[in-house]
Structures are given as structure tokens and as C-alpha cells.
Amino acid sequence: MANKTTVSEFILLGFADLQERQMFYSTVFLLIYLATVIGNLLIVAAVVLDFRLHTPMYFFLFNLSSLDLCYISITIPKMLANSLTNTRSISFIGCATQVFLVISLAATECALLSVMAYDRRTAICFPLHYKMIMSRGTCARMAVGSWVSGVLYSLLHTGNTFRLPFCHANVISQFFCDIPQLLKLACSDTYPNKVVVVLFGVCLALGCFVFIITSYIQIFSTVLRIPSMSGKHKAFSTCLPHLVVIGLFFGMGSFVYMRQTSVTSSSWDLLASVLYAVLPPLSNPIVYSLRNKEIREALGRVIARMSFQRV
């Protein structure tokens, strides 16, 4: 260990092997980033400015959109900055911060999706007690609990990873810092770290997924007992956007996990990480704005109000 040099920065390889297409990829990611930010900001603005959306369901949607704004802003701007300045480096502290924020937001989203499933289950299965069960205080505690649990979960993995010694190797074959790539660079036994990552990751994802599936089994059994077709359609329409978001989040997460725990090419690993970092935050506002009539109407009222004030 005495002859090994401590790493002070890492190199994010990213799309370095595609230099001739660098401008094209930068433009595409910039457009995706702007579309994601604008879409989620519109949802945040609609929920905040329209009092008709001050309900538990839209309160949690506000949290989800705020989370997605932060999530995509951790990775894409750094990648764009590196591409425009033709640099690949990120400091040790910057890498640790990026890992902490990415994991904490991903874990928080998992918890929030579970809370949103509970909210839908309560609204459909126990409509008469909904306002009492999902009070403002309860919703606030659920949201805070989701964010705090994500932070604590991330502290565990970030601390467990960056306590390892890093030596000469500092090249990460991704466009952002992630734990599987960092474990490959550590100059000590990383088997305990891999066990912790897999064990806690499976427990978190499986726990949230089972809770969501259980909630929706109860929801569907209740909806099927509704006599009117209009009642069934209304119940299903409020659940469909959430189901699509859940499918994308857990589907992309499983895809990334399987790619990183198998022997695959770095180009496929990079593609998997891009999809997981970009697709869920981009799809959430599209899914909710296209499928949710109340969101569309609220956005129309907010835009009309702003236009009237300018006149």
C-alpha cells in the first residue's frame, strides 16, 4: 500500500469513444434535459398555483416531479459541461456527492411510488375514510419519510464505497459516478461491498414492489366490484399513469441491475445507465400530462391566468 497513489479525481469516460458524434449527442441530451425540466416544472407550477390540485394525490405528484428535476440535473449538466469543455475529470468529492445524490433520489422515488400506491388504494378501497386517513399531516409525514429514508439509504452505500482505498486506476466507463464502476477501481477486497449493495438493493426494490403489487391487487378487486362502467373507467384512469411510471422505473432499474451484474460490454452498460438516468424523469411529465385531464386543465388555467396578468 505504501507504493500506491491515492486518487484525487476520476475520469468519466462516457462517450469518449464517439468523438466524431460528440456534438450530436450533446445536442440530443440538451434537448432531452430541457424537455424534462420544462415538463416537470409545469407539473410543479400547476400543483402549486391551482388550489383544485391541493389534494394528496397531487401533493405526492409534486414531490415526484421535484425529485425528477433534481435527479436528471445531477448527471446530465455535468456530462454536457464535460463535453463542451472537452474535459472528463470529476473531483473525488464531486464523485462522492454525485453518488450520494443519485442513490438517495432513486431510493426516494422508490419510496414515493409506494406511498402513491397506498394513496390510490385508500382513495378507491376506503373512499368514505379517505380524507381522515390521508390528512395533510399524514401526507407530509409520508413525504418526509420517503426523502429521509432515501438519504439514509444513500449514506450507507456512499460511506461503504468511499471508505475503500482507490489507487492508480481512476477511469469510470460511464458519464456519471456509480458504485459498480467504482468498486472495480478499488485496490482492496470489494466482495463485502458487493454483498451489501446487492442485499440492500434487493430488499429495497423488492419491498417497495411487493407493497405496490399488493396495493394494486386490492385496488383491482375493489374496482371490479363497481357496478357502473363509468365508475370503473374513472378508477382505472387515476391509476394508469402511476402504473406506467412504476413499470418504467422498476423495468429500467432491473435492466440496469442485470447489465451491471453480468459480463457485458461497456457500451451496453452505458446505454443501460443512460436509459435509467433519462427515461423515467422524461416520461413522468409526459405520462401524467397526457393521461390526466385535471393536470391539463390546471395547466390551461395557469397559462391563461399568467397571460391575462401580462395583458
Side-chain angles (χ1 to χ4, degrees), residues 52-255:
R52 301 179 191 181
L53 300 185
H54 292 179
T55 63
M57 182 175 75
Y58 293 108
F59 170 73
F60 294 125
L61 180 58
F62 164 82
N63 278 270
L64 185 65
S65 294
S66 301
L67 186 150
D68 285 334
L69 279 170
C70 299
Y71 186 69
I72 198 170
S73 297
I74 295 168
T75 56
I76 301 301
K78 177 61 178 176
M79 185 200 72
L80 292 173
N82 285 351
S83 177
L84 293 174
T85 58
N86 200 26
T87 59
R88 304 286 170 189
S89 63
I90 183 171
S91 67
F92 187 91
I93 298 298
C95 187
T97 302
Q98 196 173 66
V99 168
F100 170 75
L101 291 175
V102 167
I103 295 177
S104 63
L105 291 174
T108 302
E109 179 152 355
C110 188
L112 270 176
L113 291 175
S114 301
V115 169
M116 293 172 77
Y118 175 79
D119 171 67
R120 291 297 83 211
R121 182 185 72 88
T122 305
I124 293 173
C125 300
F126 308 101
L128 298 179
H129 303 284
Y130 178 69
K131 290 185 177 181
M132 181 179 66
I133 296 174
M134 301 299 294
S135 63
R136 287 190 176 185
T138 301
C139 292
R141 286 191 292 271
M142 287 182 172
V144 171
S146 299
W147 286 91
V148 171
S149 62
V151 169
L152 294 177
Y153 179 82
S154 183
L155 280 173
L156 168 69
H157 288 298
T158 306
N160 194 40
T161 300
F162 285 92
R163 69 177 179 81
L164 297 171
F166 294 93
C167 308
H168 291 291
N170 68 337
V171 178
I172 299 175
S173 299
Q174 289 287 0
F175 66 96
F176 65 94
C177 293
D178 70 337
I179 288 180
Q181 293 291 327
L182 287 166
L183 293 181
K184 296 177 183 179
L185 304 180
C187 50
S188 65
D189 181 23
T190 60
Y191 179 76
N193 297 75
K194 294 177 182 178
V195 171
V196 170
V197 170
V198 172
L199 182 61
F200 280 84
V202 169
C203 288
L204 174 68
L206 190 61
C208 292
F209 187 72
V210 169
F211 181 84
I212 291 170
I213 292 299
T214 303
S215 298
Y216 271 99
I217 289 175
Q218 295 177 339
I219 288 172
F220 291 147
S221 64
T222 301
V223 170
L224 292 176
R225 292 197 298 267
I226 297 176
S228 66
M229 289 300 298
S230 61
K232 290 181 179 179
H233 180 268
K234 183 179 180 180
F236 278 124
S237 65
T238 61
C239 296
L240 185 59
H242 186 230
L243 284 172
V244 172
V245 170
I246 289 171
L248 286 171
F249 180 78
F250 283 100
M252 288 294 100
S254 300
F255 180 61

Side-chain angles (χ1 to χ4, degrees), residues 13 253 296:
L13 199 58
R296 297 197 303 270

Side-chain angles (χ1 to χ4, degrees), residues 241-274:
H242 186 230
L243 284 172
V244 172
V245 170
I246 289 171
L248 286 171
F249 180 78
F250 283 100
M252 288 294 100
S254 300
F255 180 61
V256 171
Y257 174 79
M258 287 187 291
R259 301 302 305 187
Q260 292 180 339
T261 55
S262 60
V263 180
T264 58
S265 62
S266 59
S267 59
W268 279 106
D269 291 340
L270 181 61
L271 174 62
S273 297
V274 168

